Amino acid sequence: MSPEELVASAVKVRENACAAYSNYKVGAALLAASGKVYTGCNVENSTYGLTVCAERVALWKALSEGERSFTKIAVVTSSEPPASPCGACRQLLWEFCGNIEITLANLKGFRKTLRLSEIFPRPFDQSALD
Ligand code: THU
């Protein structure tokens, strides 16, 4: 699957964002090694702190369906340039997806594809616990 097809899924799911507090909609589409795409949007609520990012919603959906291996994720925002995943999402993507390919995109056609290690160097992970 091309990064552009993944971006299209993220653009679509972004419309479902529950972003009443920030008005900042985010969509994510995570490609599993199985070939299935798991999408997620950000979900905000009145306590603010319980907000969940689009990337984690996609990841939780995939993990809960039994997926354990991932190859790519696309994240779409309206920002110029587009936003990249927050620190919490970087940690979780590293933990469950490894050095995954990430395409950052916005609605105006901006695309930047990189590896997670480029935005998340020197991670803490299970290797430190061995
Ligand atoms: N957000 C995401 O869903 N993903 C990101 O990568 C950055 C931030 C959400 C959280 C919150 O609902 C809104 O964007 C503003 O921070």
Side-chain angles (χ1 to χ4, degrees), residues 18-19 22-27 41-44 51-56 75 77 83-86 89:
C18 303
S22 71
N23 281 319
Y24 188 73
K25 294 182 173 186
V26 186
C41 60
N42 51 330
V43 181
E44 300 178 354
T51 291
V52 185
C53 293
E55 296 91 322
R56 269 176 282 164
V75 182
T77 61
S84 55
C86 78
C89 288

Side-chain angles (χ1 to χ4, degrees), residues 1 6 8 13-14 32 36 49 54-55 57 71 78 84-85 90-91 93 100 105 107-108 116 118-119 122:
M1 174 171 295
L6 214 50
V13 73
R14 179 180 168 276
K36 280 193 183 172
E55 296 91 322
V57 171
T71 57
S78 56
S84 55
R90 292 177 197 203
Q91 177 68 36
L93 288 172
I100 193 171
L107 303 176
K108 292 182 182 164
L116 180 57
E118 294 176 66
I119 58 167
R122 297 180 64 85

Side-chain angles (χ1 to χ4, degrees), residues 50-126:
L50 294 179
T51 291
V52 185
C53 293
E55 296 91 322
R56 269 176 282 164
V57 171
L59 183 59
W60 299 158
K61 284 169 69 177
L63 292 172
S64 65
E65 292 303 312
E67 300 285 4
R68 290 294 182 271
S69 178
F70 303 96
T71 57
K72 296 177 188 179
I73 188 168
V75 182
V76 173
T77 61
S78 56
S79 306
E80 185 74 37
S84 55
C86 78
C89 288
R90 292 177 197 203
Q91 177 68 36
L92 288 159
L93 288 172
W94 182 264
E95 182 110 16
F96 290 103
C97 308
N99 198 13
I100 193 171
E101 183 183 289
I102 304 180
T103 297
L104 306 175
N106 70 14
L107 303 176
K108 292 182 182 164
F110 182 103
R111 306 285 185 264
K112 172 76 180 167
T113 297
L114 37 71
R115 289 273 166 187
L116 180 57
S117 61
E118 294 176 66
I119 58 167
F120 195 52
R122 297 180 64 85
F124 177 81
D125 58 25
Q126 202 175 7

